[in-house]
Amino acid sequence: MRLLTRALCLCELGRQATSRRPVTAQGCLGPRNSKRPGQRCWASIKAVGTRSALLSKFGVITRIMRPDDANVAGNVHGGTVLKMIEEAGAIISTRHCNSQNGERCVAALARVERTDFLSPMCIGEVAHVSAEITYTSKHSVEVQVNVMSENILTGTKKLTNKATLWYVPLSLKNVDKVLEVPPVVYSRQEQEEEGRKRYEAQKLERMETKWRNGDIVQPVLNPEPNTVSYSQSSLIHLVGPSDCTLHGFVHGGVTMKLMDEVAGIVAARHCKTNIVTASVDAINFHDKIRKEVAMCDTERSL
């Protein structure tokens, strides 16, 4: 009965989404007027704007974790999680930026705020990556992403990651042209003001790091064991079509996955044991990487 009620609610929402009329929706996808203890609603939706905008503001990616997603201990690589986070953000941002008539575009990742890995994810668990647009400026989109892992044998779910990402819409006709972003309607005035403060802060941070030099570390020949130079590692990757967007430039998630892999090599070489990603500081994307160009990431242990 619960599944039937939920299906009917979702079908009704889908029918309403074809209309462009303004709508305010707030409700529960589940049984109504239930008196039984412990019975809860599955989800709550609240949005103001057109019905198509309602669907373009939220997005979910779900897939099971396989052995090639994890290390020898069975823990999913941090880079795999980061790639899924970026994919969810890119989908919802691109969908929102094309929700109105106008020049077609693809959202490109510009920045990732600090991300902590709250709990490990293991082989056989299902990752639920949910994304929501929380702020839009004239030329950028802020997306909040939550990652839940589900043990499909026990039904247990746990929060593994929370991340904030910023995207900019690039024209399909001219990759150097940044288009304007359709605005979102906020349920509270404070949400827009808080979002504007976050936007200004991240914009300032990106400008401060754009011209920073001296981050490239040159390799040292025959370094002594247990030194910083000894654990230094390089990873070279030839960019292929599967790594790229419609523009022919590398996905931000692919870049972050490579960064996590080479950082993991450094940490494992230094610690001489299995390692997992604990956190990622803010990452700024200042330039594009073209298809069929070799990428080389160099890291050093601290």
Side-chain angles (χ1 to χ4, degrees):
M1 186 61 182
R2 290 186 180 182
L3 293 177
L4 178 59
T5 305
R6 184 184 184 190
L8 291 174
C9 292
L10 290 174
C11 290
E12 180 63 25
L13 181 61
R15 286 195 298 269
Q16 294 174 352
T18 60
S19 172
R20 303 290 295 184
R21 291 176 298 171
V23 59
T24 300
Q26 182 177 10
C28 168
L29 301 183
R32 293 182 297 176
N33 303 325
S34 175
K35 302 296 184 179
R36 289 191 226 171
Q39 200 169 52
R40 300 174 60 187
C41 298
W42 288 300
S44 176
I45 296 176
K46 183 176 182 181
V48 180
T50 63
R51 289 178 170 87
S52 61
L54 173 62
L55 296 183
S56 70
K57 190 178 179 183
F58 302 93
V60 178
I61 291 178
T62 301
R63 78 175 181 89
I64 194 168
M65 297 293 98
R66 300 181 177 89
D68 56 350
D69 295 319
N71 60 21
V72 294
N75 295 321
V76 175
H77 290 294
T80 300
V81 178
L82 290 171
K83 189 171 183 289
M84 289 191 297
I85 289 174
E86 195 277 332
E87 288 174 352
I91 290 172
I92 191 174
S93 299
T94 300
R95 182 186 295 160
H96 175 76
C97 292
N98 289 281
S99 61
Q100 296 183 359
N101 294 329
E103 191 172 347
R104 300 296 93 180
C105 63
V106 172
L109 181 63
R111 176 178 168 86
V112 180
E113 304 289 356
R114 178 181 174 91
T115 303
D116 292 312
F117 289 74
L118 307 175
S119 180
M121 195 180 303
C122 301
I123 296 174
E125 292 185 335
V126 174
H128 300 273
V129 186
S130 59
E132 177 185 0
I133 294 176
T134 51
Y135 179 76
T136 58
S137 68
K138 185 176 181 180
H139 296 292
S140 62
V141 181
E142 181 191 47
V143 180
Q144 299 281 350
V145 181
N146 291 333
V147 183
M148 300 284 294
S149 66
E150 176 190 1
N151 186 318
I152 56 178
L153 301 180
T154 64
T156 304
K157 292 184 179 180
K158 58 185 177 182
L159 180 67
T160 62
N161 295 83
K162 298 181 70 175
T164 302
L165 304 92
W166 293 87
Y167 291 84
V168 293
L170 303 180
S171 169
L172 284 177
K173 297 180 180 178
N174 181 4
V175 71
D176 296 319
K177 180 181 179 181
V178 179
L179 302 180
E180 292 190 9
V181 177
V184 294
V185 180
Y186 306 93
S187 58
R188 293 183 297 107
Q189 182 64 30
E190 293 80 4
Q191 290 180 335
E192 183 176 9
E193 295 176 357
E194 292 168 359
R196 186 180 296 109
K197 292 179 181 179
R198 295 193 300 270
Y199 166 75
E200 295 296 339
Q202 67 87 25
K203 184 178 179 180
L204 179 61
E205 173 67 18
R206 291 189 71 243
M207 293 303 297
E208 289 178 349
T209 62
K210 187 171 184 178
W211 308 113
R212 187 176 300 167
N213 297 319
D215 292 335
I216 299 177
V217 180
Q218 299 299 325
V220 178
L221 298 178
N222 301 319
E224 297 182 3
N226 301 322
T227 61
V228 171
S229 300
Y230 183 77
S231 60
Q232 178 180 338
S233 302
S234 296
L235 178 64
I236 298 175
H237 177 73
L238 182 64
V239 176
S242 62
D243 299 320
C244 298
T245 66
L246 297 175
H247 287 115
F249 295 99
V250 179
H251 283 288
V254 173
T255 304
M256 291 193 293
K257 189 173 187 293
L258 291 170
M259 294 170 64
D260 178 79
E261 287 178 0
V262 72
I265 293 171
V266 170
R269 180 176 290 174
H270 179 79
C271 299
K272 296 181 174 60
T273 186
N274 294 324
I275 55 90
V276 294
T277 306
S279 65
V280 176
D281 287 340
I283 304 174
N284 295 301
F285 293 79
H286 298 301
D287 206 348
K288 310 176 189 71
I289 302 174
R290 293 182 179 274
K291 182 174 61 177
E292 297 178 354
V293 174
M295 281 198 298
C296 179
D297 291 325
T298 303
E299 294 288 339
R300 299 179 72 175
S301 62
L302 298 178

